[in-house]
Amino acid sequence: DLVDWQKPLLWQVGYLGEKYDEWVHQPVDRPIRLFHSDILEYLSKTAWYVVFVVWAPVVLYLSWVSYTSLAQGNTRLFSSFTTEYSIPVHKYYFPFIFLLGMFLWSLLEYLIHRFVFHMKPPASNYYLITLHFLLHGQHHKSPFDSSRLVFPPVPASLVMAFFYGILQLLLPQVLGLSVFVGGLCGYVIYDMMHYYLHYGSPKKGTYLYGLKAYHVKHHFEHQKSGFGISTRFWDHPFRTLIPEETFEKED
């Protein structure tokens, strides 16, 4: 009775104030309408395969561009500081740079999920509550809404452009692109895996079965821990691992 489910929720949740954090972590199995506008509502929903169809060709193309550019032999690390001791980056390094990008994405995935998606907005700030609900709160409120389990391509492209710009500032152009495309591949795997963890049926005892159980615990019992989705690796050093005893009890 805190919200009117017959009306868009996005403009209502900000008025929940101190009740918002508890309310948003009580899941329901029903669709959520966010916007009054049918166009905005449509754009806020994305089928899982759209992410793969849109971004997989981009990953393949940028991988080819990165490899062929490195093959020209003009890329050197630290060349902006010193030409005498700069390190040449050969085309054979591309797979390792690509994997570095995927590794960095896994860290970024954890940090965004924990500190952005799971921020606790001030009860007095209507706009931060609304933003939190738009970014991630609606997913925790309705975790079975299959149309909002992956990130829409348009806002995703804006976020990617931001991180691409940072890499271009920090690294030589081709090297930055190589790291970026690895990270982009990591993002595609993450989004596909996130959908599968909600709707897939992995075989018991497999890696994906363990991740699915872990993610279910995050949604329904341990919303303040278990922030890893494609991997639990970063939950170990950041001490946010879901206690193992909860899984032993279930078994």
PDB file of all heavy atoms in Angstrom, residues 16-41:
ATOM      1  N   LEU A  16       8.967   7.665  -0.710  1.00  0.00           N
ATOM      2  CA  LEU A  16       8.984   6.655   0.341  1.00  0.00           C
ATOM      3  C   LEU A  16       9.949   7.012   1.465  1.00  0.00           C
ATOM      4  O   LEU A  16       9.821   6.510   2.579  1.00  0.00           O
ATOM      5  CB  LEU A  16       9.370   5.289  -0.247  1.00  0.00           C
ATOM      6  CG  LEU A  16       8.384   4.690  -1.255  1.00  0.00           C
ATOM      7  CD1 LEU A  16       8.895   3.348  -1.749  1.00  0.00           C
ATOM      8  CD2 LEU A  16       7.012   4.527  -0.639  1.00  0.00           C
ATOM      9  N   GLY A  17      10.931   7.862   1.173  1.00  0.00           N
ATOM     10  CA  GLY A  17      11.852   8.336   2.206  1.00  0.00           C
ATOM     11  C   GLY A  17      12.575   7.206   2.903  1.00  0.00           C
ATOM     12  O   GLY A  17      13.162   6.321   2.260  1.00  0.00           O
ATOM     13  N   GLU A  18      12.528   7.182   4.196  1.00  0.00           N
ATOM     14  CA  GLU A  18      13.256   6.174   4.980  1.00  0.00           C
ATOM     15  C   GLU A  18      12.683   4.770   4.805  1.00  0.00           C
ATOM     16  O   GLU A  18      13.330   3.788   5.180  1.00  0.00           O
ATOM     17  CB  GLU A  18      13.242   6.555   6.461  1.00  0.00           C
ATOM     18  CG  GLU A  18      11.861   6.670   7.071  1.00  0.00           C
ATOM     19  CD  GLU A  18      11.894   7.190   8.487  1.00  0.00           C
ATOM     20  OE1 GLU A  18      12.916   7.778   8.882  1.00  0.00           O
ATOM     21  OE2 GLU A  18      10.899   7.004   9.201  1.00  0.00           O
ATOM     22  N   LYS A  19      11.500   4.641   4.247  1.00  0.00           N
ATOM     23  CA  LYS A  19      10.910   3.326   4.012  1.00  0.00           C
ATOM     24  C   LYS A  19      11.414   2.699   2.711  1.00  0.00           C
ATOM     25  O   LYS A  19      11.190   1.514   2.476  1.00  0.00           O
ATOM     26  CB  LYS A  19       9.382   3.431   3.954  1.00  0.00           C
ATOM     27  CG  LYS A  19       8.743   3.894   5.255  1.00  0.00           C
ATOM     28  CD  LYS A  19       7.233   3.992   5.098  1.00  0.00           C
ATOM     29  CE  LYS A  19       6.587   4.490   6.394  1.00  0.00           C
ATOM     30  NZ  LYS A  19       5.114   4.617   6.237  1.00  0.00           N
ATOM     31  N   TYR A  20      12.084   3.488   1.881  1.00  0.00           N
ATOM     32  CA  TYR A  20      12.468   3.018   0.553  1.00  0.00           C
ATOM     33  C   TYR A  20      13.411   1.820   0.607  1.00  0.00           C
ATOM     34  O   TYR A  20      13.191   0.818  -0.090  1.00  0.00           O
ATOM     35  CB  TYR A  20      13.122   4.148  -0.255  1.00  0.00           C
ATOM     36  CG  TYR A  20      13.749   3.664  -1.547  1.00  0.00           C
ATOM     37  CD1 TYR A  20      12.956   3.329  -2.638  1.00  0.00           C
ATOM     38  CD2 TYR A  20      15.137   3.511  -1.671  1.00  0.00           C
ATOM     39  CE1 TYR A  20      13.517   2.883  -3.825  1.00  0.00           C
ATOM     40  CE2 TYR A  20      15.698   3.062  -2.846  1.00  0.00           C
ATOM     41  CZ  TYR A  20      14.884   2.746  -3.919  1.00  0.00           C
ATOM     42  OH  TYR A  20      15.448   2.281  -5.081  1.00  0.00           O
ATOM     43  N   ASP A  21      14.461   1.883   1.416  1.00  0.00           N
ATOM     44  CA  ASP A  21      15.488   0.842   1.409  1.00  0.00           C
ATOM     45  C   ASP A  21      14.894  -0.514   1.785  1.00  0.00           C
ATOM     46  O   ASP A  21      15.234  -1.534   1.181  1.00  0.00           O
ATOM     47  CB  ASP A  21      16.618   1.213   2.375  1.00  0.00           C
ATOM     48  CG  ASP A  21      17.811   0.280   2.238  1.00  0.00           C
ATOM     49  OD1 ASP A  21      18.421   0.255   1.155  1.00  0.00           O
ATOM     50  OD2 ASP A  21      18.118  -0.445   3.202  1.00  0.00           O
ATOM     51  N   GLU A  22      14.025  -0.545   2.756  1.00  0.00           N
ATOM     52  CA  GLU A  22      13.399  -1.808   3.145  1.00  0.00           C
ATOM     53  C   GLU A  22      12.410  -2.264   2.066  1.00  0.00           C
ATOM     54  O   GLU A  22      12.359  -3.443   1.710  1.00  0.00           O
ATOM     55  CB  GLU A  22      12.668  -1.647   4.476  1.00  0.00           C
ATOM     56  CG  GLU A  22      12.014  -2.934   4.967  1.00  0.00           C
ATOM     57  CD  GLU A  22      11.270  -2.764   6.276  1.00  0.00           C
ATOM     58  OE1 GLU A  22      11.270  -1.634   6.811  1.00  0.00           O
ATOM     59  OE2 GLU A  22      10.681  -3.759   6.743  1.00  0.00           O
ATOM     60  N   TRP A  23      11.646  -1.331   1.521  1.00  0.00           N
ATOM     61  CA  TRP A  23      10.639  -1.668   0.518  1.00  0.00           C
ATOM     62  C   TRP A  23      11.257  -2.238  -0.752  1.00  0.00           C
ATOM     63  O   TRP A  23      10.782  -3.231  -1.295  1.00  0.00           O
ATOM     64  CB  TRP A  23       9.829  -0.405   0.177  1.00  0.00           C
ATOM     65  CG  TRP A  23       8.850  -0.578  -0.947  1.00  0.00           C
ATOM     66  CD1 TRP A  23       7.577  -1.069  -0.878  1.00  0.00           C
ATOM     67  CD2 TRP A  23       9.064  -0.253  -2.332  1.00  0.00           C
ATOM     68  NE1 TRP A  23       6.988  -1.081  -2.113  1.00  0.00           N
ATOM     69  CE2 TRP A  23       7.878  -0.583  -3.037  1.00  0.00           C
ATOM     70  CE3 TRP A  23      10.140   0.288  -3.041  1.00  0.00           C
ATOM     71  CZ2 TRP A  23       7.740  -0.384  -4.408  1.00  0.00           C
ATOM     72  CZ3 TRP A  23      10.007   0.472  -4.409  1.00  0.00           C
ATOM     73  CH2 TRP A  23       8.811   0.137  -5.079  1.00  0.00           C
ATOM     74  N   VAL A  24      12.348  -1.613  -1.218  1.00  0.00           N
ATOM     75  CA  VAL A  24      12.936  -2.024  -2.494  1.00  0.00           C
ATOM     76  C   VAL A  24      13.594  -3.395  -2.400  1.00  0.00           C
ATOM     77  O   VAL A  24      13.783  -4.066  -3.412  1.00  0.00           O
ATOM     78  CB  VAL A  24      13.946  -0.954  -2.984  1.00  0.00           C
ATOM     79  CG1 VAL A  24      15.314  -1.104  -2.301  1.00  0.00           C
ATOM     80  CG2 VAL A  24      14.105  -1.012  -4.503  1.00  0.00           C
ATOM     81  N   HIS A  25      13.938  -3.847  -1.188  1.00  0.00           N
ATOM     82  CA  HIS A  25      14.560  -5.152  -1.010  1.00  0.00           C
ATOM     83  C   HIS A  25      13.559  -6.213  -0.577  1.00  0.00           C
ATOM     84  O   HIS A  25      13.947  -7.267  -0.045  1.00  0.00           O
ATOM     85  CB  HIS A  25      15.714  -5.051  -0.003  1.00  0.00           C
ATOM     86  CG  HIS A  25      16.896  -4.308  -0.541  1.00  0.00           C
ATOM     87  ND1 HIS A  25      17.326  -3.110  -0.018  1.00  0.00           N
ATOM     88  CD2 HIS A  25      17.731  -4.571  -1.589  1.00  0.00           C
ATOM     89  CE1 HIS A  25      18.369  -2.677  -0.706  1.00  0.00           C
ATOM     90  NE2 HIS A  25      18.630  -3.549  -1.662  1.00  0.00           N
ATOM     91  N   GLN A  26      12.271  -5.954  -0.819  1.00  0.00           N
ATOM     92  CA  GLN A  26      11.230  -6.963  -0.620  1.00  0.00           C
ATOM     93  C   GLN A  26      10.689  -7.321  -2.004  1.00  0.00           C
ATOM     94  O   GLN A  26       9.802  -6.644  -2.523  1.00  0.00           O
ATOM     95  CB  GLN A  26      10.121  -6.430   0.291  1.00  0.00           C
ATOM     96  CG  GLN A  26      10.579  -6.182   1.722  1.00  0.00           C
ATOM     97  CD  GLN A  26       9.485  -5.550   2.563  1.00  0.00           C
ATOM     98  OE1 GLN A  26       8.479  -5.088   2.057  1.00  0.00           O
ATOM     99  NE2 GLN A  26       9.704  -5.527   3.871  1.00  0.00           N
ATOM    100  N   PRO A  27      11.230  -8.368  -2.634  1.00  0.00           N
ATOM    101  CA  PRO A  27      10.912  -8.658  -4.040  1.00  0.00           C
ATOM    102  C   PRO A  27       9.447  -9.034  -4.275  1.00  0.00           C
ATOM    103  O   PRO A  27       8.785  -9.614  -3.406  1.00  0.00           O
ATOM    104  CB  PRO A  27      11.823  -9.846  -4.372  1.00  0.00           C
ATOM    105  CG  PRO A  27      12.875  -9.840  -3.315  1.00  0.00           C
ATOM    106  CD  PRO A  27      12.221  -9.299  -2.084  1.00  0.00           C
ATOM    107  N   VAL A  28       8.964  -8.694  -5.453  1.00  0.00           N
ATOM    108  CA  VAL A  28       7.632  -9.088  -5.895  1.00  0.00           C
ATOM    109  C   VAL A  28       7.763  -9.733  -7.270  1.00  0.00           C
ATOM    110  O   VAL A  28       8.728  -9.481  -7.997  1.00  0.00           O
ATOM    111  CB  VAL A  28       6.674  -7.876  -5.990  1.00  0.00           C
ATOM    112  CG1 VAL A  28       6.446  -7.254  -4.614  1.00  0.00           C
ATOM    113  CG2 VAL A  28       7.203  -6.826  -6.966  1.00  0.00           C
ATOM    114  N   ASP A  29       6.817 -10.583  -7.603  1.00  0.00           N
ATOM    115  CA  ASP A  29       6.814 -11.236  -8.911  1.00  0.00           C
ATOM    116  C   ASP A  29       5.687 -10.630  -9.743  1.00  0.00           C
ATOM    117  O   ASP A  29       4.623 -11.212  -9.906  1.00  0.00           O
ATOM    118  CB  ASP A  29       6.612 -12.745  -8.744  1.00  0.00           C
ATOM    119  CG  ASP A  29       6.752 -13.484 -10.072  1.00  0.00           C
ATOM    120  OD1 ASP A  29       7.168 -12.843 -11.063  1.00  0.00           O
ATOM    121  OD2 ASP A  29       6.448 -14.690 -10.128  1.00  0.00           O
ATOM    122  N   ARG A  30       5.950  -9.431 -10.232  1.00  0.00           N
ATOM    123  CA  ARG A  30       4.977  -8.732 -11.063  1.00  0.00           C
ATOM    124  C   ARG A  30       5.713  -7.702 -11.908  1.00  0.00           C
ATOM    125  O   ARG A  30       6.788  -7.231 -11.530  1.00  0.00           O
ATOM    126  CB  ARG A  30       3.912  -8.048 -10.192  1.00  0.00           C
ATOM    127  CG  ARG A  30       4.461  -6.979  -9.261  1.00  0.00           C
ATOM    128  CD  ARG A  30       3.379  -6.437  -8.325  1.00  0.00           C
ATOM    129  NE  ARG A  30       2.272  -5.840  -9.068  1.00  0.00           N
ATOM    130  CZ  ARG A  30       1.118  -5.468  -8.505  1.00  0.00           C
ATOM    131  NH1 ARG A  30       0.927  -5.646  -7.209  1.00  0.00           N
ATOM    132  NH2 ARG A  30       0.169  -4.935  -9.235  1.00  0.00           N
ATOM    133  N   PRO A  31       5.163  -7.349 -13.059  1.00  0.00           N
ATOM    134  CA  PRO A  31       5.844  -6.353 -13.906  1.00  0.00           C
ATOM    135  C   PRO A  31       5.793  -4.967 -13.285  1.00  0.00           C
ATOM    136  O   PRO A  31       4.880  -4.645 -12.518  1.00  0.00           O
ATOM    137  CB  PRO A  31       5.052  -6.407 -15.219  1.00  0.00           C
ATOM    138  CG  PRO A  31       3.708  -6.912 -14.826  1.00  0.00           C
ATOM    139  CD  PRO A  31       3.936  -7.863 -13.683  1.00  0.00           C
ATOM    140  N   ILE A  32       6.790  -4.166 -13.609  1.00  0.00           N
ATOM    141  CA  ILE A  32       6.873  -2.788 -13.125  1.00  0.00           C
ATOM    142  C   ILE A  32       6.806  -1.851 -14.319  1.00  0.00           C
ATOM    143  O   ILE A  32       7.505  -2.051 -15.317  1.00  0.00           O
ATOM    144  CB  ILE A  32       8.187  -2.561 -12.353  1.00  0.00           C
ATOM    145  CG1 ILE A  32       8.109  -3.216 -10.973  1.00  0.00           C
ATOM    146  CG2 ILE A  32       8.487  -1.071 -12.203  1.00  0.00           C
ATOM    147  CD1 ILE A  32       9.376  -3.056 -10.161  1.00  0.00           C
ATOM    148  N   ARG A  33       5.967  -0.847 -14.210  1.00  0.00           N
ATOM    149  CA  ARG A  33       5.976   0.225 -15.205  1.00  0.00           C
ATOM    150  C   ARG A  33       6.718   1.400 -14.598  1.00  0.00           C
ATOM    151  O   ARG A  33       6.415   1.851 -13.493  1.00  0.00           O
ATOM    152  CB  ARG A  33       4.551   0.638 -15.592  1.00  0.00           C
ATOM    153  CG  ARG A  33       4.550   1.695 -16.712  1.00  0.00           C
ATOM    154  CD  ARG A  33       3.159   2.069 -17.172  1.00  0.00           C
ATOM    155  NE  ARG A  33       3.226   3.081 -18.228  1.00  0.00           N
ATOM    156  CZ  ARG A  33       3.212   2.845 -19.526  1.00  0.00           C
ATOM    157  NH1 ARG A  33       3.135   1.578 -19.944  1.00  0.00           N
ATOM    158  NH2 ARG A  33       3.281   3.821 -20.412  1.00  0.00           N
ATOM    159  N   LEU A  34       7.708   1.906 -15.332  1.00  0.00           N
ATOM    160  CA  LEU A  34       8.529   3.003 -14.830  1.00  0.00           C
ATOM    161  C   LEU A  34       8.027   4.363 -15.286  1.00  0.00           C
ATOM    162  O   LEU A  34       7.986   5.311 -14.487  1.00  0.00           O
ATOM    163  CB  LEU A  34       9.977   2.828 -15.293  1.00  0.00           C
ATOM    164  CG  LEU A  34      10.764   1.648 -14.716  1.00  0.00           C
ATOM    165  CD1 LEU A  34      12.153   1.591 -15.328  1.00  0.00           C
ATOM    166  CD2 LEU A  34      10.855   1.749 -13.200  1.00  0.00           C
ATOM    167  N   PHE A  35       7.663   4.488 -16.555  1.00  0.00           N
ATOM    168  CA  PHE A  35       7.397   5.800 -17.150  1.00  0.00           C
ATOM    169  C   PHE A  35       5.939   5.955 -17.583  1.00  0.00           C
ATOM    170  O   PHE A  35       5.272   4.979 -17.935  1.00  0.00           O
ATOM    171  CB  PHE A  35       8.298   6.020 -18.371  1.00  0.00           C
ATOM    172  CG  PHE A  35       9.764   5.980 -18.078  1.00  0.00           C
ATOM    173  CD1 PHE A  35      10.498   4.817 -18.296  1.00  0.00           C
ATOM    174  CD2 PHE A  35      10.421   7.096 -17.568  1.00  0.00           C
ATOM    175  CE1 PHE A  35      11.859   4.778 -18.037  1.00  0.00           C
ATOM    176  CE2 PHE A  35      11.784   7.065 -17.310  1.00  0.00           C
ATOM    177  CZ  PHE A  35      12.503   5.913 -17.538  1.00  0.00           C
ATOM    178  N   HIS A  36       5.479   7.201 -17.608  1.00  0.00           N
ATOM    179  CA  HIS A  36       4.181   7.517 -18.188  1.00  0.00           C
ATOM    180  C   HIS A  36       4.222   7.330 -19.704  1.00  0.00           C
ATOM    181  O   HIS A  36       3.288   6.802 -20.300  1.00  0.00           O
ATOM    182  CB  HIS A  36       3.787   8.967 -17.867  1.00  0.00           C
ATOM    183  CG  HIS A  36       3.462   9.204 -16.423  1.00  0.00           C
ATOM    184  ND1 HIS A  36       2.271   8.824 -15.845  1.00  0.00           N
ATOM    185  CD2 HIS A  36       4.181   9.787 -15.438  1.00  0.00           C
ATOM    186  CE1 HIS A  36       2.265   9.165 -14.572  1.00  0.00           C
ATOM    187  NE2 HIS A  36       3.417   9.742 -14.288  1.00  0.00           N
ATOM    188  N   SER A  37       5.302   7.775 -20.314  1.00  0.00           N
ATOM    189  CA  SER A  37       5.448   7.732 -21.753  1.00  0.00           C
ATOM    190  C   SER A  37       5.614   6.298 -22.249  1.00  0.00           C
ATOM    191  O   SER A  37       6.481   5.556 -21.764  1.00  0.00           O
ATOM    192  CB  SER A  37       6.659   8.562 -22.195  1.00  0.00           C
ATOM    193  OG  SER A  37       6.999   8.300 -23.537  1.00  0.00           O
ATOM    194  N   ASP A  38       4.810   5.908 -23.237  1.00  0.00           N
ATOM    195  CA  ASP A  38       4.940   4.569 -23.811  1.00  0.00           C
ATOM    196  C   ASP A  38       6.282   4.399 -24.515  1.00  0.00           C
ATOM    197  O   ASP A  38       6.858   3.308 -24.513  1.00  0.00           O
ATOM    198  CB  ASP A  38       3.804   4.314 -24.809  1.00  0.00           C
ATOM    199  CG  ASP A  38       2.449   4.182 -24.126  1.00  0.00           C
ATOM    200  OD1 ASP A  38       2.421   3.834 -22.933  1.00  0.00           O
ATOM    201  OD2 ASP A  38       1.417   4.432 -24.793  1.00  0.00           O
ATOM    202  N   ILE A  39       6.785   5.475 -25.110  1.00  0.00           N
ATOM    203  CA  ILE A  39       8.072   5.403 -25.820  1.00  0.00           C
ATOM    204  C   ILE A  39       9.214   5.162 -24.837  1.00  0.00           C
ATOM    205  O   ILE A  39      10.059   4.288 -25.047  1.00  0.00           O
ATOM    206  CB  ILE A  39       8.316   6.694 -26.633  1.00  0.00           C
ATOM    207  CG1 ILE A  39       7.258   6.833 -27.723  1.00  0.00           C
ATOM    208  CG2 ILE A  39       9.725   6.688 -27.236  1.00  0.00           C
ATOM    209  CD1 ILE A  39       7.368   8.116 -28.518  1.00  0.00           C
ATOM    210  N   LEU A  40       9.249   5.944 -23.756  1.00  0.00           N
ATOM    211  CA  LEU A  40      10.302   5.757 -22.748  1.00  0.00           C
ATOM    212  C   LEU A  40      10.195   4.385 -22.096  1.00  0.00           C
ATOM    213  O   LEU A  40      11.211   3.730 -21.822  1.00  0.00           O
ATOM    214  CB  LEU A  40      10.216   6.855 -21.689  1.00  0.00           C
ATOM    215  CG  LEU A  40      10.653   8.254 -22.103  1.00  0.00           C
ATOM    216  CD1 LEU A  40      10.444   9.240 -20.968  1.00  0.00           C
ATOM    217  CD2 LEU A  40      12.122   8.250 -22.534  1.00  0.00           C
ATOM    218  N   GLU A  41       8.993   3.953 -21.852  1.00  0.00           N
ATOM    219  CA  GLU A  41       8.793   2.626 -21.256  1.00  0.00           C
ATOM    220  C   GLU A  41       9.331   1.543 -22.183  1.00  0.00           C
ATOM    221  O   GLU A  41       9.998   0.602 -21.735  1.00  0.00           O
ATOM    222  CB  GLU A  41       7.306   2.399 -20.977  1.00  0.00           C
ATOM    223  CG  GLU A  41       6.978   1.098 -20.264  1.00  0.00           C
ATOM    224  CD  GLU A  41       7.472   1.042 -18.828  1.00  0.00           C
ATOM    225  OE1 GLU A  41       7.878   2.098 -18.293  1.00  0.00           O
ATOM    226  OE2 GLU A  41       7.469  -0.057 -18.245  1.00  0.00           O
TER     227      GLU A  41
END
